[in-house]
Amino acid sequence: MVFEAEKSESEDEKAASRISAKNGLESYAYSLRNTLKDEKVTDWLDASQEASKEEYEEKKKELEVVSNPIITKRCQAIGEAPGSFLGAAPPGGFPDGDKNELTVKELD
C-alpha cells in the first residue's frame, strides 16, 4: 500500500512538471503570437497537446532563440527595453502604425 502511494506521488509529480512546462511554453508562445501578430507561432503547440516535459522545454528554447532577435529589433525600433512589452503593445501603440511590425520571416 505504501509502495502504491509512493508510485502515485511520483506520477503526480511528473504530471505536474509536464503541465508546468506546457504552461510555460503556452504563455510564452501566445504572448509572442499576439505581439508579432503571427498565428504560426503556436502551430506546434496546438498540434502537440500530449508532448513530454522535455519536448515542451525544448520547443520553448527553440522559440526563444528565434524570437529574441525579433523582440530586440522591435524594441530598438520603438526605444523600449527588450521584454518590456511581450504580449502587449507599448503605451500609445507602435510609432508609425504597423510600420514597425516584425515577423519571424524577417530573420531569414
Side-chain angles (χ1 to χ4, degrees):
M1 188 179 229
V2 172
F3 174 74
E4 287 181 26
E6 289 175 352
K7 181 179 176 185
S8 179
E9 183 179 344
S10 174
E11 290 172 1
D12 289 347
E13 288 173 5
K14 284 181 183 179
S17 180
R18 186 186 80 76
I19 290 168
S20 178
K22 179 182 177 187
N23 289 344
L25 173 58
E26 282 180 337
S27 176
Y28 188 78
Y30 286 109
S31 292
L32 187 61
R33 179 190 73 179
N34 294 336
T35 299
L36 298 177
K37 296 178 177 70
D38 187 345
E39 295 294 322
K40 291 182 257 169
V41 170
T42 58
D43 285 350
W44 181 89
L45 183 58
D46 293 339
S48 304
Q49 293 296 307
E50 296 299 320
S52 70
K53 172 190 170 201
E54 293 77 18
E55 289 173 307
Y56 288 128
E57 290 173 342
E58 182 61 31
K59 285 297 178 183
K60 185 175 179 194
K61 286 178 188 174
E62 289 176 15
L63 189 55
E64 289 171 337
V65 166
V66 171
S67 66
N68 284 342
I70 295 169
I71 297 300
T72 300
K73 188 174 181 181
R74 187 175 199 176
C75 289
Q76 289 171 343
I78 62 169
E80 291 283 330
S84 64
F85 68 93
L86 186 60
F94 292 108
D96 302 324
D98 289 337
K99 218 176 192 180
N100 292 315
E101 186 173 306
L102 302 175
T103 64
V104 175
K105 295 178 193 124
E106 292 185 36
L107 286 179
D108 296 335

